[in-house]
Amino acid sequence: MFKKIIGAVIVLVSLGFMAFTGFTQAPENDSANTAEAMEEGVYEPIVVLELYTSQGCSSCPPADALLDKVKKEYQENVFALSYHVDYWNYIGWKDPFSKSEYAEKQRAYNIKFRNRSNYTPQVVVNGQEHFVGSSASKMYSKINTYQKVKAGNRVGISQLQAADNSVGFQYEIKGSTKGKRLRAILVLDQRITEVKRGENRNRTLRNSNIVVAEKTISAKEGKASSYIAIPDSVGPNEKIQLMLLVENDTYDITGAAKGSVER
């Protein structure tokens, strides 16, 4: 039986024993960390949607399709990301985009939300709250809510250049960066996959804005430069995009920017 966590010591002990497995449904989130709890900001609103999904999960295709729809409808201040987790791979189909690191990232969110486990499809909004990713009503409601909330940081991208196996870029962060970090994320625009086994066997799946690489950079106010490697899984003619997210030590996302990568 899941028990409420009381005190920091019990939290540390509990983390070693909490089991996080894939679920296709979850109760509504009652977290107090909603849009109203975000730090007071002065910059343009951002909406970051992190979908946790898997090609091996039969409940995920509707969520994948919804994320693709939202991505096309909101091209300016909505940042759609598709993280493929690995805990469905045992059923018989290994998702080619799945990584254990993404399941760990999802686990960190669910510990924050005091949610009893990882599940798919799950959408996390601005690192603040979560909901079942196939719910169109919840998706549009949250987009509408967070589009009215000023961001704590503004991020700019410039000098975005691709070499054979990496993307170089310059960035500028405005607003306080105390206790924050920068996530650089490389996103594959889309991929169509014919699934041969598992829960989605004999289905053709379309995945959008697939996270294929991610690195953490120390956030600094002002201008700086960095790079991110292009994995071998990305073909030479496939469209990719760079996204930069600023997040604090409790995973709240306070700034974001994106730019297309020309190769």
Side-chain angles (χ1 to χ4, degrees):
M1 172 182 276
F2 180 79
K3 297 181 179 179
K4 293 184 178 179
I5 300 170
I6 304 175
V9 174
I10 297 178
V11 170
L12 293 176
V13 174
S14 298
L15 298 186
F17 294 94
M18 291 176 67
F20 289 88
T21 55
F23 287 86
T24 56
Q25 293 185 0
E28 293 294 333
N29 175 46
D30 294 324
S31 171
N33 294 316
T34 59
E36 292 76 8
M38 291 181 70
E39 69 177 78
E40 184 175 354
V42 297
Y43 299 107
E44 294 85 357
I46 57 166
V47 185
V48 179
L49 305 170
E50 298 175 79
L51 170 64
Y52 290 88
T53 184
S54 171
Q55 291 183 354
C57 163
S58 62
S59 297
C60 288
D64 298 327
L66 179 59
L67 190 77
D68 183 62
K69 183 173 184 289
V70 165
K71 157 194 158 182
K72 294 173 180 176
E73 291 175 346
Y74 301 90
Q75 298 186 18
E76 295 301 322
N77 68 337
V78 171
F79 300 77
L81 297 164
S82 180
Y83 284 94
H84 288 232
V85 296
D86 66 341
Y87 48 78
W88 284 104
N89 290 351
Y90 76 96
I91 290 180
W93 176 256
K94 183 177 180 180
D95 188 325
F97 300 107
S98 64
K99 292 186 178 182
S100 59
E101 300 96 295
Y102 301 158
E104 291 295 326
K105 178 186 293 292
Q106 185 185 22
R107 183 173 291 111
Y109 274 136
N110 281 315
I111 290 172
K112 171 183 176 176
F113 300 142
R114 296 190 177 184
N115 194 49
R116 67 179 179 270
S117 64
N118 283 354
Y119 67 93
T120 54
Q122 179 184 29
V123 169
V124 177
V125 190
N126 282 23
Q128 292 281 310
E129 55 182 307
H130 70 106
F131 60 90
V132 176
S134 55
S135 173
S137 61
K138 184 69 72 172
M139 178 76 81
Y140 285 104
S141 172
K142 294 305 177 183
I143 290 174
N144 181 61
T145 296
Y146 282 88
Q147 279 187 325
K148 299 173 183 176
V149 180
K150 293 289 186 179
N153 294 99
R154 175 186 289 164
V155 186
I157 302 176
S158 61
Q159 302 297 317
L160 187 56
Q161 298 179 336
D164 290 338
N165 57 0
S166 67
V167 175
F169 57 93
Q170 292 185 357
Y171 62 92
E172 181 176 12
I173 302 175
K174 294 185 178 180
S176 174
T177 58
K178 183 178 179 180
K180 297 178 182 178
R181 54 191 168 266
L182 185 70
R183 284 162 53 192
I185 305 167
L186 203 59
V187 175
L188 178 63
D189 183 62
Q190 74 170 23
R191 179 75 66 83
I192 296 174
T193 305
E194 293 183 5
V195 178
K196 303 298 184 182
R197 296 176 297 279
E199 288 191 356
N200 288 317
R201 61 186 177 277
N202 300 325
R203 296 183 67 174
T204 299
L205 303 181
R206 180 191 299 271
N207 297 114
S208 297
N209 278 22
I210 307 161
V211 176
V212 293
E214 182 174 66
K215 67 182 291 187
T216 301
I217 304 168
S218 178
K220 303 176 182 177
E221 288 187 55
K223 296 181 179 180
S225 61
S226 189
Y227 73 94
I228 187 168
I230 302 173
D232 294 338
S233 59
V234 178
N237 297 319
E238 289 188 297
K239 182 180 177 181
I240 56 176
Q241 189 175 47
L242 175 71
M243 294 193 189
L244 300 180
L245 308 181
V246 179
E247 67 178 9
N248 63 22
D249 55 6
T250 60
Y251 307 110
D252 297 342
I253 296 173
T254 62
K258 57 186 172 182
S260 296
V261 178
E262 300 296 333
R263 296 193 292 164

